Amino acid sequence: MVHLTVDAPGGAAAATDMLIGELVRGARVDARRAPATLPDGAKSGTGLAVSELLLNGAVPAAVAAAVASIVTAFVQRGSARKVVIRSGEESITVQGADARTQRALVEDWLKKHGSPADEG
């Protein structure tokens, strides 16, 4: 399972729903909201700008490119300030860098960390 944390100014919940829709339609992955929990150090209330979603199951190498493309484009459009992708203790942050480089890094990371052998 891969967790994505969306940090979006003024509306992480709406941004998360938008990203879920794009991942389901574009990459055809099983993406859904994570159970509601506050990240470490987060304050509750209306100022919360972080929301989490899950990619259920493995992310096959063939799908990693589509997921990487969608997440990178999502951040580049400004729909989110950043997206942190996490599997176990490993994570990568997608944030306003060169889109081509970022997409390649995310795709490579997903291929290495999105397989069933890495779950646990």
Side-chain angles (χ1 to χ4, degrees):
M1 189 168 319
V2 176
H3 297 255
L4 287 84
T5 304
V6 178
D7 181 355
T16 299
D17 289 341
M18 185 184 310
L19 181 56
I20 288 171
E22 290 179 25
L23 288 166
V24 168
R25 285 187 308 276
R28 299 185 189 271
V29 294
D30 180 11
R32 61 185 69 169
R33 282 188 170 278
T37 57
L38 292 176
D40 290 342
K43 296 179 182 177
S44 62
T46 58
L48 184 64
V50 176
S51 186
E52 195 168 51
L53 64 104
L54 303 172
L55 297 182
N56 293 312
V59 179
V63 176
V67 171
S69 219
I70 289 166
V71 171
T72 302
F74 184 76
V75 171
Q76 293 292 318
R77 282 195 318 267
S79 299
R81 180 181 305 133
K82 69 180 176 181
V83 174
V84 178
I85 305 170
R86 182 175 37 88
S87 179
E89 296 296 317
E90 300 291 323
S91 67
I92 187 170
T93 300
V94 182
Q95 191 170 6
D98 170 60
R100 179 177 286 157
T101 302
Q102 195 78 40
R103 186 172 41 250
L105 290 170
V106 171
E107 181 179 351
D108 184 56
W109 189 92
L110 285 168
K111 286 177 181 176
K112 290 179 182 173
H113 295 90
S115 67
D118 291 330
E119 291 183 10

